[in-house]
Amino acid sequence: MISGLTPREARSRLNLMGRLLYDARSIDLWKRDTATLPRVFRSMRRRYRAFAQREIAPLALQADLDPPSVDIKGLFLKSAREGFQTELTPWPIGNARYRALFHSLIMAPALKAEEFCAACGGLGLALLAHDLGMAPLFASGDLRALFKWMRRIYREIRDGEPAIAAYAITEPNAGSDVEETQGASRARISCRARKAPGGWRISGTKVFISDGAVAKWITLFAALEKEGMESWTCFLLDKGMEGLSVGRSERKMGQRAADASELILEDVFVPHERVIGPLRGGWAINRNVLNFSRPVVGAIALGIARGAWERALDFCHQTRMGNRPLISYQDVQLELADMLAKIQAMRALVWQAVSYRVPFQTASSITKVFCSDTAWEVCNQAMAILGDHGFLHCHGVEKAARDARLTQIYEGTNQINRLAIVEGQLGAEFKIGDFYAP
Amino acid sequence: MDRETLDAFAHLARTFARKEVRNMVGRDTRDGDLALLPSLLEKALETGLMTSPDPHSPGHELGVWGRACLTEGPTASLVILEEMARECAGVALCLHAAGLGALELDEPIFKRPALAFFPRNQRLTWEFLDGEEEVAPGPFTVLAPPQWDGLVIYRPSPRGWTAHVLERQEVSWEDLTPRTGLIASGIIQVHSENPGVQIPGTRSPRVLLRRHLLGLTAIGVGNALGALATAEEYAAQRYQGGAAIDSHAAVRLLLGEARAWLTGVRNQLYMAAQEDRDTREALERSMVLAVKGTEHAWRATSHALQVLGGYGYMEDYRLEKRLRDAMTLKTLPPSARDLTLMLGHRERRERT
Ligand SMILES: Cc1cc2nc3c(=O)[nH]c(=O)nc-3n(C[C@H](O)[C@H](O)[C@H](O)COP(=O)(O)OP(=O)(O)OC[C@H]3O[C@@H](n4cnc5c(N)ncnc54)[C@H](O)[C@@H]3O)c2cc1C
């Protein structure tokens, strides 16, 4: 006999105090988790989700099948009208809320990443890569960069221009080498800046640059002539500059709606005023931008996994197997529960990582590694739950799996991020005297 | 079948795959130039690698799931499938599907039959295999060779399983596309209210299932070994962190783990192929292989992709295709969950 034994029925036998202490309500986890957030983030989370469901989700499958058919700039402007593309900094530059920044510098991007990518990993990345492109202006601590450039770019966006920014560090021969210390010391970098009257002339190639083809602004890192990575300097380029062109756009396994392009620089003149932060300050800016952005990559992975889980759950409710709904099978419930547990663990980690006053290497890399590996597992579990529907594009689950796989690669492969976890705690947990030995 | 004959098969299949299949897969398109597929399969038929119900066709005996597998066991078929999948899992699946269908027909009433065995809305159970469970009405998921012209459907009856044939025009069907991978092969959904014409003989779905599971495992292993070869070659040439990346422990672990998984699965596959085909143990071993083998093959393929970093995620090195194929292979029916549940069904096992 079930009667009286279900949590809700059992609870009803308690007195008021007992009932208040026993929460057996049927409230979905999204709502429960949102309620734990500071008030300012609660409304933001709701707004991100509403936008994602209204504007991103309907385009997701089409954008994956035929990326050029989707108007990324149009979508960017819609997101900008909501204020979502100008919110790294508060007034008088951007529209971030002071109260939000007081709680966490990167909670808002993390919430946004989860919601956007739950709707579509590719379109989500296309919108989020802009924040990454803008991040050096902020993380450099350079007030001129903030007040002159960030303000200008944000104004252009508010005026209705799709002034998208991209972040360019990777080169054909330097991928991991631009993400970790030892590799950087021996990197074969090609992108170099040569001193010229009034500024710098940069030549070289960058690859895999998210939004590279659609961006107007690019924060690009180059070494000074005849020097190594320690001379890396951040420059702000724009597409109007002579000698800067877009090369091939990559054909990828997933996140296909987001462009990843090659940027070719042939003696591009960049005036002094476009140097972001100090000369030779680029490596520090890059490392710190990654500290800010890796938890957001964790949130991207979380969003993709959640999207796959939600679609798998829908499928299990709607599909009958052997004259019973799929959801009624115990093994299916076990699998869904396991996935949900993983998703909750990912979210807990992301929210914990963004709660540090200033993001730092170890926590950021842990979040990125754990969430991306877990998202890949969860999405593949979701495919398996769908059985021989799992590989069908129309359900959006296999797409999520393909999208998730990228999160284990960009912003440093998960192998490089694991090394970053150790490096970040050198002298603390890890006491490795010869860590940097050749 | 002796070692020498098997080596000769492997050599023939490898030469064919490297010349014809590699050419089709190419580098410029996501899933290869599929316009070349019909002529490629025609050549596979002429070379004797692909099987046809026609007794005069070269592969009738020795092609993938040719008649010889009834007396000699599945090893030769698995060798061919593995070699083909080293170049393209989709092409290998075409040969697998063509062979399974052809083996069902004693008379060449069709040129390229497809075999319908997995009802889409039904779980695979021991009861189902024993014909004790009614087949739920609804469509079948079918691996269909390209240009299939007829369908063989397995149906349970009080006298055991029987097979029924239908012309292609008699069934309604749809391609299960767009999908993740295995694009070269036909994966279709077939609806058939028409029972079709029964062909002589009772059938053993257990034997069929075992063949299918071993075949899928061989394809998964071949696909992953192809991925691993690409990754090893790349790792020796890519310079990062001050050296070729294959000198870094992180990369060696990826390659080593992939190799360990694949060697294990491959050894078990060929051991399983030697077993007496009709026993419960043989079927169970093929189920274990399908559950763990396709999973390990998928993980190994994913490791291989990771060795190439961002380049692995792009279409250029075909590793993303291999991973998409591995993901699809893992979700083909029967599902790993159903097989695992069957393996855990001890009571039933003791009865059988
Ligand atoms: C779709 C996509 C979008 C991207 N977007 C951007 C972007 O917007 N901006 C940008 O600048 N970059 C971007 N990237 C680049 C991305 O960050 C790099 O791909 C990533 O850092 C890996 O570099 P790589 O591809 O060159 O791989 P490699 O560095 O060649 O790595 C290959 C393998 O070697 C391993 N390895 C390398 N060095 C070491 C070492 N020292 N020790 C141990 N193992 C090592 C790696 O872990 C990996 O398994 C993007 C990449 C992709 C695929």
Side-chain angles (χ1 to χ4, degrees), chain B residues 49-331:
Chain B
L49 296 169
M50 184 159 135
T51 305
S52 147
D54 176 3
H56 305 298
S57 93
H60 183 70
E61 278 296 314
L62 293 170
V64 173
W65 306 126
R67 300 274 135 177
C69 81
L70 298 175
T71 49
E72 306 278 341
T75 309
S77 299
L78 301 178
V79 166
I80 300 175
L81 289 175
E82 182 195 320
E83 290 297 340
M84 289 292 161
R86 281 181 192 237
E87 296 301 328
C88 177
V91 169
L93 196 65
C94 289
L95 301 197
H96 176 62
L100 288 181
L103 195 55
E104 295 301 319
L105 292 182
D106 291 331
E107 300 291 325
I109 45 176
F110 302 128
K111 222 174 138 218
R112 280 199 200 156
L115 182 63
F117 171 61
F118 296 110
R120 205 150 191 214
N121 302 329
Q122 178 130 6
R123 306 199 77 160
L124 187 66
T125 58
W126 291 113
E127 290 77 8
F128 171 76
L129 278 187
D130 289 345
E132 291 167 10
E133 214 168 90
E134 216 174 291
V135 179
F140 287 81
T141 302
V142 176
L143 301 179
Q147 295 157 326
W148 61 283
D149 53 354
L151 191 69
V152 183
I153 300 189
Y154 262 50
R155 294 189 197 284
S157 81
R159 284 164 288 113
W161 286 80
T162 52
H164 303 249
V165 290
L166 288 145
E167 305 256 354
R168 179 170 167 147
Q169 300 87 289
E170 294 176 290
V171 288
S172 63
W173 61 278
E174 65 201 83
D175 236 327
L176 293 178
T177 52
R179 63 168 178 264
T180 318
L182 298 174
I183 306 296
S185 59
I187 306 178
I188 61 176
Q189 172 170 278
V190 170
H191 306 263
S192 164
E193 273 79 56
N194 182 343
V197 178
Q198 189 178 337
I199 52 176
T202 52
R203 296 294 193 273
S204 165
R206 291 179 177 229
V207 174
L208 170 66
L209 179 63
R210 174 167 176 261
R211 236 174 253 150
H212 176 57
L213 297 177
L214 293 177
L216 290 187
T217 309
I219 295 172
V221 168
N223 182 49
L225 283 170
L228 188 57
T230 306
E232 284 171 341
E233 204 178 307
Y234 184 87
Q237 285 162 13
R238 174 74 170 163
Y239 176 96
Q240 288 295 283
I245 58 170
D246 65 3
S247 63
H248 300 311
V251 171
R252 286 186 184 175
L253 284 170
L254 290 171
L255 293 171
E257 213 164 20
R259 183 153 297 285
W261 285 328
L262 293 177
T263 308
V265 175
R266 193 167 181 274
N267 287 346
Q268 284 194 28
L269 173 68
Y270 289 105
M271 265 163 58
Q274 308 292 324
E275 280 174 332
D276 184 2
R277 66 202 155 93
D278 279 333
T279 62
R280 189 197 73 205
E281 285 73 21
L283 175 60
E284 284 194 348
R285 194 194 281 263
S286 71
M287 289 161 64
V288 171
L289 263 168
V291 171
K292 281 293 144 201
T294 48
E295 155 130 10
H296 281 164
W298 160 71
R299 285 193 190 281
T301 311
S302 185
H303 270 26
L305 185 149
Q306 189 72 6
V307 168
L308 276 78
Y311 292 94
Y313 198 72
M314 309 305 170
E315 290 175 12
D316 307 53
Y317 288 87
R318 295 202 280 127
L319 279 180
E320 68 86 35
K321 172 187 178 298
R322 288 192 183 279
L323 185 55
R324 285 188 289 111
D325 287 348
M327 288 159 72
T328 313
L329 208 59
K330 202 162 64 79
T331 27

Side-chain angles (χ1 to χ4, degrees), chain A residues 16 23 53-54 85 125 173-174 229 235 254 287 326-327 357 363 384 395 417:
Chain A
L16 178 64
D23 187 348
Q53 290 180 345
R54 192 178 67 244
Q85 302 300 144
L125 174 65
N173 291 318
M229 286 287 271
F235 299 90
R287 295 301 291 261
L326 199 50
I327 192 76
R357 179 113 315 273
H395 298 294
N417 271 275

Side-chain angles (χ1 to χ4, degrees), chain A residues 65 171-178 180 182-183 186-188 207-208 248 250-256 260 319-323 326 329 331-332 335 376-377 380 383-385 387-394 398 401-406 408-409 413-415, chain B residues 27-30 118-123 136-137 140-141 175-181 187 189 238-243 248 250-251 254 295 298-299 301-303 305-306 309-316 320 323-324 327-328 330-333 335 337-338 341:
Chain A
L65 279 183
E171 301 184 4
N173 291 318
S176 298
D177 283 356
V178 300
E180 62 96 28
Q182 270 177 312
R186 296 166 211 157
R188 294 173 175 174
V207 287
F208 301 158
R248 62 177 248 166
E250 300 292 346
R251 295 197 315 244
K252 318 194 289 295
M253 180 183 185
Q255 299 198 16
R256 286 162 58 83
T319 308
R320 295 183 77 78
M321 175 71 79
N323 295 326
L326 199 50
Y329 287 89
D331 55 293
V332 172
E335 194 84 27
W376 171 238
E377 293 289 332
N380 279 281
M383 273 184 82
I385 287 227
D388 58 359
H389 287 253
F391 51 70
L392 281 177
H393 186 260
C394 57
E398 65 87 35
R402 287 184 286 110
D403 289 351
R405 188 63 184 79
L406 178 55
Q408 297 176 303
I409 297 171
T413 63
N414 279 4
Q415 286 66 32
Chain B
R27 274 203 162 204
D28 297 334
T29 48
R30 194 163 188 231
F118 296 110
R120 205 150 191 214
N121 302 329
Q122 178 130 6
R123 306 199 77 160
F140 287 81
T141 302
D175 236 327
L176 293 178
T177 52
R179 63 168 178 264
T180 318
I187 306 178
Q189 172 170 278
R238 174 74 170 163
Y239 176 96
Q240 288 295 283
H248 300 311
V251 171
L254 290 171
E295 155 130 10
W298 160 71
R299 285 193 190 281
T301 311
S302 185
H303 270 26
L305 185 149
Q306 189 72 6
Y311 292 94
Y313 198 72
M314 309 305 170
E315 290 175 12
D316 307 53
E320 68 86 35
L323 185 55
R324 285 188 289 111
M327 288 159 72
T328 313
K330 202 162 64 79
T331 27
L332 284 180
S335 80
R337 213 176 37 252
D338 284 0
L341 286 169

Side-chain angles (χ1 to χ4, degrees), chain A residues 65-85:
Chain A
L65 279 183
D66 183 16
S69 70
V70 172
D71 174 15
I72 293 293
K73 289 183 178 175
L75 184 65
F76 177 87
L77 286 178
K78 281 184 182 166
S79 174
R81 278 197 285 278
E82 301 277 341
F84 298 159
Q85 302 300 144

